[in-house]
Amino acid sequence: MKKNNFIIVAVDGGAAAGKSSTSRALSERFHLMHVDTGSFYRATTLKLMEAGVSSEDTTAVTQALSTIKLGTSISGNTASITVNDWMPDASIRSQSVNENVSHFAALPELRAFLLDYQRSQVEVAKKNGFSGLIMEGRDIGSVIFPNADLRLFLFADPEKRAQRRAKEGITDSIQKRDQMDSSRKAAPLQCPEGATLLDSSEMTLEEVVEKVSGWIESLLTK
Ligand code: DC
């Protein structure tokens, strides 16, 4: 039945769990539009920080968000967010953004602001001729697309994840961010019921991609 139909794949998991590399590889293999929602939270966090807005001042956050217009720019299989026509760059992965993003991401005001935009990526993908959408984040399978065709939750033990980030030369407070992202009230990081949990601690990227590809293929021929 699913043959040739548009598919939605949700990929959730903690920081440095391998979501981006896995999603990018799968997007190439199945011609899916790849969307990294972590970059949405990072880009808006950076803009709010630049505007001198504190995550504790929700009135100021709401006011600042009302001046932001979001857009989408597609390059290859990847769709990137634009914020008032600014295209996010490496600055959204700086140490100061790493330290602040979870505080802003915990705010229902920011999550509500990004909700419809995230869902609207389905239409963007369809309009641009993709066979589906692969979206990564923390709440994609639980909140954004609870009816996604495949809801994957990637797990990897904290030590392995720290090693991955160190290899990339990135200083990141992985465990602190995960702790904050998991314990917040609004859309906490969690493996939603019915999602497919994959522990990649002892797997290579290629093995993870092969495993998930098998699931996607069986979905496509259902
Ligand atoms: O995936 P990432 O590490 O780039 O995400 C940055 C932060 O954004 C992360 O600490 C939590 C937040 N985030 C979120 O709350 N919900 C999402 N769907 C994606 C990211």
Side-chain angles (χ1 to χ4, degrees):
M1 282 299 273
K2 261 278 164 199
K3 229 170 185 170
N4 300 325
N5 273 0
F6 188 90
I7 60 162
I8 298 179
V9 179
V11 182
D12 291 304
K19 302 184 298 294
S20 290
S21 319
T22 304
S23 301
R24 264 198 295 272
L26 293 168
S27 77
E28 298 282 327
R29 189 132 159 190
F30 296 99
H31 194 235
L32 310 175
M33 189 174 89
H34 170 223
V35 178
D36 165 17
T37 62
S39 70
F40 300 177
Y41 286 92
R42 288 172 176 278
T44 45
T45 291
L46 181 59
K47 286 292 151 197
L48 292 168
M49 285 165 62
E50 282 174 358
V53 174
S54 155
S55 59
E56 279 162 26
D57 186 350
T58 52
T59 307
V61 169
T62 304
Q63 159 60 29
L65 290 176
S66 72
T67 67
I68 287 180
K69 199 173 171 303
L70 302 176
T72 304
S73 167
I74 298 180
S75 170
N77 285 347
T78 298
S80 302
I81 196 170
T82 59
V83 181
N84 290 339
D85 293 328
W86 170 70
M87 176 82 126
D89 52 25
S91 59
I92 66 166
R93 309 209 176 265
S94 69
Q95 198 169 343
S96 64
V97 173
N98 282 342
E99 281 165 10
N100 284 283
V101 64
S102 290
H103 295 277
F104 285 100
L107 301 177
E109 290 81 359
L110 179 55
R111 306 202 74 81
F113 177 73
L114 291 172
L115 184 79
D116 288 345
Y117 175 76
Q118 289 171 89
R119 291 189 176 147
S120 75
Q121 298 306 297
V122 171
E123 287 316 311
V124 175
K126 284 182 178 170
K127 256 192 216 138
N128 285 276
F130 286 96
S131 311
L133 171 71
I134 184 159
M135 183 175 278
E136 54 165 302
R138 302 294 189 286
D139 62 342
I140 311 306
S142 57
V143 175
I144 309 299
F145 295 121
N147 297 319
D149 298 283
L150 175 63
R151 292 182 303 153
L152 183 66
F153 193 90
L154 275 183
F155 174 85
D157 75 49
E159 221 168 276
K160 286 270 151 57
R161 294 190 284 140
Q163 284 167 10
R164 284 174 191 168
R165 276 292 189 266
K167 253 192 193 165
E168 293 164 2
I170 296 171
T171 312
D172 196 352
S173 34
I174 293 171
Q175 273 175 288
K176 198 166 155 220
R177 279 207 290 133
D178 272 5
Q179 208 276 326
M180 284 194 65
D181 296 339
S182 312
S183 58
R184 69 184 177 216
K185 282 209 180 85
L189 165 68
Q190 58 184 26
C191 180
E193 213 185 309
T196 305
L197 177 72
L198 183 62
D199 183 347
S200 72
S201 305
E202 302 302 328
M203 292 170 85
T204 64
L205 171 64
E206 290 70 28
E207 287 168 339
V208 173
V209 171
E210 277 313 308
K211 184 100 193 151
V212 184
S213 291
W215 292 331
I216 295 180
E217 265 152 24
S218 65
L219 240 171
L220 289 170
T221 51
K222 233 191 224 171

